[in-house]
Amino acid sequence: MADLTIHFAGIKAPNPFWLASAPPTNTGYQVQRAFEAGWGGAVWKTLGDPIINTSSRFGAIHFNGQRVAGFNNIELITDRPLEVNLKEIEETKKKYPNHALMVSLMVEPQQEKWHEIVKKVEAVGVDGLELNFGCPHGMAERGMGSASGQVPELVEKQTHWVKEVAQTPVIVKLTPNITDVTATAYAAVQGGADAISMINTINSLAGVDLDTWNTIPHVAGKGAHGGYCGPAVKPIALNMVAECARSPEINVVPICGIGGVSNWRDAVEFMLMGAGSVQVCTAAMHHGFRIVEDMIDGLNNYLDYKGLASVNDLIGKSVHKYSDWGDLDLNYKIVARIHTEICINCNKCHIACEDTSHQCIDMLTSKEGSKYLEVREEDCVGCNLCQIVCPVDGAIDMIEIPSETPMTWKERQTALQQLAGSLVK
């Protein structure tokens, strides 16, 4: 079996699967149960000045028969006294010395406040700190969370304040509620962060009850925007991780991938795109801590299948494949081919292509009088829509067609500029 051990920013863990700072890491009882189940690490739910949480707190998006495709919450940081949390953190680390135990922190943007809480938390023996610059609701209205995380100057300044006194690795958790996550990621690096993690939750409203007209969730008939997470946010998170991983100014520090990690496949995708570890929340809340067993088994089997000795061999292997649109080969061509022996004649591909794409799938009649579908390859643009809507795996393949010399948009524009220059001369 492959070695799943990771060393993330100096933090050692038996595997890359960590629980994110959230309701599952609210108490020592929960974190210890998670470690017993097999989680490699956990980020303790955000500590700061205890607040009062609301009831109710959670909402979910169920889609096409799938429960919890997306998850929304308006819960804030810890509502338990700091002393109680610190006592349980110390007990947990002593009981599980070989598991990674980080603590999420959030205080007002004041140097002395950061110094005070860092010293108290590190005194109980944690492996690292995660600065919460991402919470989009409640705390943001108080000038913390994403209110700080959306301002690069504040991210850099507060990270620097923490690094002035921190004796353990400092991870900066970034908000996705920003135009360009690389701006704040770079600010964290400039502030001295040992690592970055992303993404925190996305501003959202889960829904509106059509009977009562109340928001979902609501508190005594009133609602507020919350944080969105779960499988639905994975593409957004994966993009942000990739953007940071391909930046030479940012990838000098490791990245922890967060957002929609529900199984080992998701974890592998994040690691291929540059993540050195992953954090999980919604999937654990949906299915319980024991899901990590399948994650570990699946990752082990995948690494064996690929002939890789260590999980670390995955990190960043797909980053060089991720680029800008202007770097894509405009002469590359693929077309759809329908395998009639597999096709069930549901006609979904024909309808999708005829109504919303390029009208290149013909409905024909064989000599025997049976109907079948065929792609006019000369008119197919290789958009993938037919394969996407097809309910039968293998019924439609996308086939590469030999084409001209590769030509990107950037190369094309350069050639046009050179031609225009020669004509002027």
Side-chain angles (χ1 to χ4, degrees), residues 397-417:
D397 283 331
M398 305 305 296
I399 308 297
E400 181 179 351
I401 302 297
S403 57
E404 308 167 40
T405 303
M407 171 69 76
T408 69
W409 171 258
K410 292 178 181 178
E411 292 169 340
R412 179 179 181 274
Q413 291 305 98
T414 299
L416 289 175
Q417 290 169 1

Side-chain angles (χ1 to χ4, degrees), residues 29-57:
Y29 170 78
Q30 292 168 279
V31 174
Q32 290 176 33
R33 280 177 55 84
F35 287 163
E36 282 292 331
W39 292 89
V43 184
W44 203 277
K45 187 175 180 182
T46 306
L47 305 184
D49 290 330
I51 49 82
I52 300 173
N53 270 302
T54 62
S55 175
S56 60
R57 305 176 188 179

Side-chain angles (χ1 to χ4, degrees), residues 25-334:
T25 60
N26 188 45
T27 66
Y29 170 78
Q30 292 168 279
V31 174
Q32 290 176 33
R33 280 177 55 84
F35 287 163
E36 282 292 331
W39 292 89
V43 184
W44 203 277
K45 187 175 180 182
T46 306
L47 305 184
D49 290 330
I51 49 82
I52 300 173
N53 270 302
T54 62
S55 175
S56 60
R57 305 176 188 179
F58 302 149
I61 303 298
H62 309 308
F63 181 74
N64 199 28
Q66 178 183 344
R67 303 289 292 182
V68 197
F71 191 81
N72 170 279
N73 84 90
I74 57 172
E75 184 166 298
L76 306 183
I77 67 172
T78 185
D79 51 15
R80 304 192 308 144
L82 180 62
E83 294 71 23
V84 173
N85 277 297
L86 293 178
K87 179 176 181 293
E88 294 179 11
I89 291 168
E90 186 173 26
E91 292 172 350
T92 301
K93 186 58 190 175
K94 287 180 178 178
K95 190 172 182 180
Y96 296 89
N98 297 323
H99 290 70
L101 184 57
M102 289 69 63
V103 175
S104 175
L105 302 178
M106 182 193 295
V107 293
E108 298 173 54
Q110 298 177 20
Q111 185 180 32
E112 61 274 14
K113 291 278 189 179
W114 280 110
H115 285 187
E116 180 183 0
I117 196 167
V118 167
K119 291 176 181 178
K120 286 183 178 180
V121 170
E122 288 192 330
V124 299
V126 300
D127 294 306
L129 309 171
E130 184 179 77
L131 313 186
N132 185 342
F133 294 145
C135 186
H137 53 276
M139 305 310 296
E141 283 84 339
R142 310 176 196 198
M144 295 175 273
S146 64
S148 288
Q150 291 170 336
V151 183
E153 293 79 11
L154 285 176
V155 171
E156 180 177 350
K157 181 182 293 186
Q158 292 181 87
T159 303
H160 178 71
W161 288 341
V162 171
K163 287 293 293 181
E164 286 176 336
V165 296
Q167 301 298 309
T168 61
V170 175
I171 306 168
V172 174
K173 188 174 185 179
L174 302 173
T175 176
N177 302 302
I178 190 170
T179 304
D180 183 4
V181 73
T182 63
T184 47
Y186 179 69
V189 173
Q190 289 297 102
D194 298 291
I196 53 177
S197 61
M198 68 189 82
I199 59 175
N200 209 307
T201 53
I202 303 170
N203 273 330
S204 63
L205 171 61
V208 180
D209 188 297
L210 298 187
D211 292 322
T212 65
W213 297 355
N214 285 330
T215 62
I216 301 172
H218 73 89
V219 179
K222 288 191 175 182
H225 71 276
Y228 195 52
C229 53
V233 312
K234 176 188 155 190
I236 299 169
L238 197 59
N239 165 66
M240 291 190 173
V241 167
E243 288 294 337
C244 291
R246 73 187 184 103
S247 167
E249 292 82 16
I250 298 171
N251 69 11
V252 294
V253 301
I255 301 170
C256 183
I258 313 170
V261 179
S262 302
N263 52 54
W264 68 266
R265 293 178 179 84
D266 297 329
V268 169
E269 290 184 53
F270 272 94
M271 298 191 81
L272 289 172
M273 292 312 306
S277 64
V278 295
Q279 293 183 30
V280 180
C281 172
T282 305
M285 295 179 74
H286 190 185
H287 303 292
F289 290 151
R290 298 299 292 271
I291 62 167
V292 75
E293 296 175 1
D294 289 337
M295 291 180 170
I296 291 171
D297 288 344
L299 182 56
N300 263 317
N301 292 335
Y302 178 75
L303 293 172
D304 289 345
Y305 168 72
K306 284 292 188 178
L308 299 176
S310 169
V311 67
N312 297 289
D313 295 333
L314 293 172
I315 300 173
K317 289 301 187 290
S318 293
V319 172
H320 71 283
K321 297 176 179 287
Y322 196 64
S323 187
D324 296 320
W325 192 94
D327 294 320
L328 304 180
D329 179 10
L330 299 178
N331 289 332
Y332 178 76
K333 183 174 177 60
I334 59 172

